[in-house]
Amino acid sequence: MSKKAEQSNNSSPSGKLDGASVVIINYGAGNIKSIQFAFKRLGVDAVLSNNPEEILTADKVIFPGVGEASTAMNMLQESGLDKLIPNLKQPVLGICLGMQLLCESTEEGNTKGIGIFKTKVKRFNSGVKVPQMGWNVIKDLKSDLFSGIKENEYMYLVHSYYAEHCDETIAKTDYGINYASALQHNNFYGVQFHPEKSSLAGAKILKNFLKL
Amino acid sequence: MLTKRIIPCLDIKNGRTVKGVNFVDLRDAGDPVELAKQYADVGADELVFLDISATLEARATTLDMVLHVAEQVNIPFTVGGGISSIEDVDALLKCGADKVSINSSAVKRPELVNELSDKFGSQCVVVAIDAKEVDGQWKVHLAGGSIPTEIDLFEWAKEVEKRGAGEILFTSMNHDGTKNGFANKALARLSKELNIPIIASGGAGNVQHFIDTFKEGKSDAALAASVFHFGEIPIPDLKKELKENNIEVRL
């Protein structure tokens, strides 16, 4: 199924561009500018779009998200993007709330997610300050997304909810408990941290994503 | 483990840094973008820009500066100063600021904290509190510390947490500018009574002060200006010493 989609992607108008075309899904969830600038620093013009055609034909798709889960999910539903996202065949990277919305559900606003990752998102509840805000390490790295990234590399995180471990965990972080700071299911990738704000190591991860 | 954060603070007026900055490698010490890049390179964990511009025109310049910082700097940054509405915050976040800090405007209209955290999320709402200890009582001060109020620091901090603040930036006016160390007793009490991160500000003079505020003050982050701007405490050296004192930092 994914091979077929790749072929159709190759013949799409995005093939006209030099290098990979990157679309950042713009559905009203903030912090999009920072992601766009991070790609710009890598020499890539990422396009902000909520146009289904543009999203479907991009080589790479970024699914961002900052804010409250149920509000963000509502915005996705209003634009129909919640139905479009599961059908994407190219590499998709969910960042922060974007990753959480790709899970089955989140305790935040008691929200049903898109359900790509077979795990649930829960609120930190183990005597730690909430939100977790700042730099923490990622470890047990298991994906090409982390090629060239050393174990225990620091990433910038800001979040009150975390994804529980599942078979799709590709990075782990400790904050009161040990949780999934990155997930992968086929062409779908999700990172809880903000690569766009995580200095050179974060930039390296975005670069790796472009090569997937 | 989550690390303790080191945060240089830059005062901005008309889009330029105002406090004296003495960085050897800078071509233009008044250029906030260049200074911010330099700080990111030497290992600052975050940056705070405090806009002390007085006019609306100058604030437009600040937006432009924020855009350039976001374009070129790969660590998170907060913008504060003169923010009093959803529109102000929307404009700053759209230019790429990660967080905003509000101070007097929150005291004047506490609902602002709710409005901002509902609309943009707690994670980007920092409430800055300037307070002074008089006869054992910590009282909140407004307008850069010039106007005293009867509001108790700890009550106010708890209230803004309830209203949705994601973080507290506490500046002790008794310590600010003294270079005699942070207000660790008050900081530790804030940390104990609240469940959101606390940034210590005011009083940094040497490396031991940072060690003390993380150990005794239980601070989650420490903010300083002149000790960094004048190169009195190089950030790489500071972080190395913190690490040697068993304080988790990003190296």
Side-chain angles (χ1 to χ4, degrees):
Chain A
M1 196 171 148
S2 69
K3 264 186 192 159
K4 200 174 154 193
E6 266 170 36
Q7 281 163 6
S8 75
N9 264 348
N10 287 341
S11 60
S12 76
S14 65
K16 283 186 290 187
L17 294 169
D18 290 336
S21 67
V22 180
V23 164
I24 302 170
I25 300 180
N26 184 8
Y27 62 103
N31 197 27
I32 284 175
K33 207 81 190 168
S34 301
I35 300 173
Q36 198 177 23
F37 283 145
F39 280 109
K40 200 173 165 192
R41 290 194 291 270
L42 295 173
V44 175
D45 278 321
V47 180
L48 305 181
S49 177
N50 60 1
N51 177 319
E53 190 55 30
E54 211 166 8
I55 296 169
L56 281 166
T57 55
D59 293 326
K60 303 282 189 307
V61 173
I62 304 291
F63 179 38
V66 167
E68 200 272 330
S70 65
T71 313
M73 201 62 206
N74 280 338
M75 289 193 279
L76 281 175
Q77 284 161 348
E78 274 167 26
S79 53
L81 290 169
D82 61 318
K83 299 282 186 295
L84 176 115
I85 289 169
N87 293 314
L88 295 174
K89 306 298 181 230
Q90 64 275 62
V92 177
L93 178 63
I95 297 177
C96 194
L97 182 61
M99 181 204 88
Q100 296 187 352
L101 294 178
L102 290 173
C103 297
E104 288 172 342
S105 65
T106 164
E107 286 183 355
E108 188 177 22
N110 212 357
T111 308
K112 192 173 178 297
I114 293 172
I116 303 285
F117 302 128
K118 302 298 169 219
T119 188
K120 293 182 167 59
V121 176
K122 300 197 161 173
R123 189 172 166 88
F124 283 120
N125 182 24
S126 46
V128 289
K129 287 191 176 183
V130 182
Q132 168 171 227
M133 186 166 316
W135 299 78
N136 201 336
V137 297
I138 55 171
K139 54 191 176 183
D140 295 338
L141 308 176
K142 280 194 298 191
S143 168
D144 289 345
L145 190 62
F146 301 124
S147 111
I149 300 290
K150 65 178 200 297
E151 283 288 319
N152 294 307
E153 183 57 85
Y154 292 101
M155 292 290 148
Y156 184 75
L157 299 135
V158 184
H159 60 125
S160 302
Y161 296 79
Y162 67 92
E164 289 188 309
H165 283 308
C166 64
D167 292 346
E168 295 159 339
T169 300
I170 54 169
K172 297 175 180 173
T173 294
D174 286 308
Y175 189 60
I177 45 120
N178 185 264
Y179 67 95
S181 45
L183 295 158
Q184 184 193 346
H185 178 83
N186 297 333
N187 56 317
F188 288 89
Y189 299 77
V191 290
Q192 182 60 63
F193 50 85
H194 287 276
E196 75 279 14
K197 286 286 165 180
S198 294
S199 195
L200 297 175
K204 170 77 177 152
I205 290 173
L206 292 179
K207 216 169 174 177
N208 288 343
F209 177 71
L210 291 177
K211 288 185 192 154
L212 291 172
Chain B
M1 207 177 147
L2 182 65
T3 60
K4 302 291 188 182
R5 286 169 283 154
I6 298 297
I7 309 178
C9 176
L10 296 98
D11 284 355
I12 303 296
K13 195 173 185 180
N14 305 326
R16 307 270 298 167
T17 46
V18 283
K19 259 190 199 159
V21 171
N22 186 12
F23 260 45
V24 224
D25 303 335
L26 285 184
R27 274 170 293 149
D28 178 1
D31 178 4
V33 179
E34 208 181 320
L35 193 53
K37 274 169 73 177
Q38 175 105 356
Y39 274 128
D41 288 348
V42 298
D45 296 305
E46 248 180 77
L47 298 165
V48 168
F49 295 91
L50 189 61
D51 184 9
I52 57 170
S53 305
T55 65
L56 283 175
E57 249 178 347
R59 294 203 182 282
T61 319
T62 303
L63 283 181
D64 201 45
M65 179 215 82
V66 169
L67 198 64
H68 288 299
V69 171
E71 217 172 348
Q72 300 194 38
V73 176
N74 56 14
I75 59 169
F77 67 97
T78 303
V79 182
I83 297 165
S84 60
S85 70
I86 287 186
E87 291 72 30
D88 292 342
V89 174
D90 193 48
L92 286 164
L93 297 181
K94 278 201 176 120
C95 287
D98 297 283
K99 304 186 241 182
V100 295
S101 119
I102 53 172
N103 191 334
S104 300
S105 58
V107 176
K108 283 177 198 148
R109 209 171 64 80
E111 301 77 33
L112 181 63
V113 182
N114 304 68
E115 291 166 14
L116 295 180
S117 66
D118 286 349
K119 177 136 177 80
F120 305 105
S122 291
Q123 81 291 331
C124 69
V125 183
V126 182
V127 175
I129 307 177
D130 299 332
K132 192 174 182 179
E133 189 181 26
V134 183
D135 300 330
Q137 300 285 314
W138 282 94
K139 297 294 183 195
V140 174
H141 282 58
L142 301 183
S146 58
I147 304 171
T149 73
E150 278 307 304
I151 303 168
D152 176 75
L153 161 67
F154 303 98
E155 293 307 313
W156 176 234
K158 277 182 267 188
E159 180 176 345
V160 297
E161 177 182 33
K162 228 176 269 161
R163 288 180 180 275
E167 195 166 34
I168 302 280
L169 166 53
F170 165 50
T171 303
S172 162
M173 294 169 54
N174 304 71
H175 298 74
D176 201 22
T178 65
K179 297 202 172 182
N180 282 332
F182 294 92
N184 293 325
K185 224 175 132 191
L187 283 159
R189 188 172 157 199
L190 282 173
S191 239
K192 193 171 165 235
E193 295 185 8
L194 275 73
N195 198 39
I196 53 176
I198 311 290
I199 306 171
S201 159
N206 59 42
V207 172
Q208 188 61 41
H209 295 153
F210 286 88
I211 296 171
D212 292 344
T213 200
F214 291 134
K215 287 197 167 169
E216 294 160 25
K218 313 284 177 210
S219 307
D220 298 287
L223 176 141
S226 61
V227 289
F228 296 141
H229 299 331
F230 291 106
E232 291 164 24
I233 304 180
I235 290 177
D237 298 356
L238 169 61
K239 287 188 141 184
K240 208 171 137 251
E241 286 207 46
L242 290 172
K243 185 94 181 175
E244 282 164 8
N245 282 275
N246 300 315
I247 294 165
E248 286 289 328
V249 285
R250 177 178 68 109
L251 283 175

